[in-house]
Amino acid sequence: AGVPLLVATKWQVESDSSSELMRRFHRLRKEEKLPTVAALRQAQIEMLYQGNENFRQPYFWAGFTALGGYAQF
């Protein structure tokens, strides 16, 4: 309903890892000025290689996807 795009999950996700992913995602969008899809991708890569060892498995972050069109914030 008027939203250009959204980030959603394909399955139920764990709260702590989701919180960490979203902190990284929003930092990349705000500070690095990355578009939404690029910020989400980079946040997921960071979780894989630089994140908490307990959250490196794709189960904890791969369920997130961007849906919709392009939006610059």
Side-chain angles (χ1 to χ4, degrees):
V3 177
L5 64 89
L6 69 110
V7 174
T9 62
K10 297 176 188 176
W11 55 78
Q12 188 172 355
V13 294
E14 197 271 332
S15 181
D16 291 337
S17 60
S18 297
S19 176
E20 178 64 24
L21 179 69
M22 289 296 110
R23 277 194 291 275
R24 291 170 185 264
F25 166 69
H26 287 291
R27 176 187 52 79
L28 289 162
R29 285 185 58 223
K30 186 173 185 175
E31 295 175 8
E32 304 295 327
K33 307 289 190 227
L34 291 178
T36 301
V37 173
L40 179 60
R41 180 179 181 273
Q42 184 60 40
Q44 290 171 325
I45 290 170
E46 287 181 9
M47 292 287 284
L48 178 62
Y49 293 110
Q50 302 167 4
N52 178 326
E53 189 172 316
N54 295 327
F55 300 152
R56 289 187 180 165
Q57 295 297 319
Y59 167 81
F60 291 104
W61 46 263
F64 286 89
T65 188
L67 303 166
Y70 180 82
Q72 185 68 30
F73 294 96

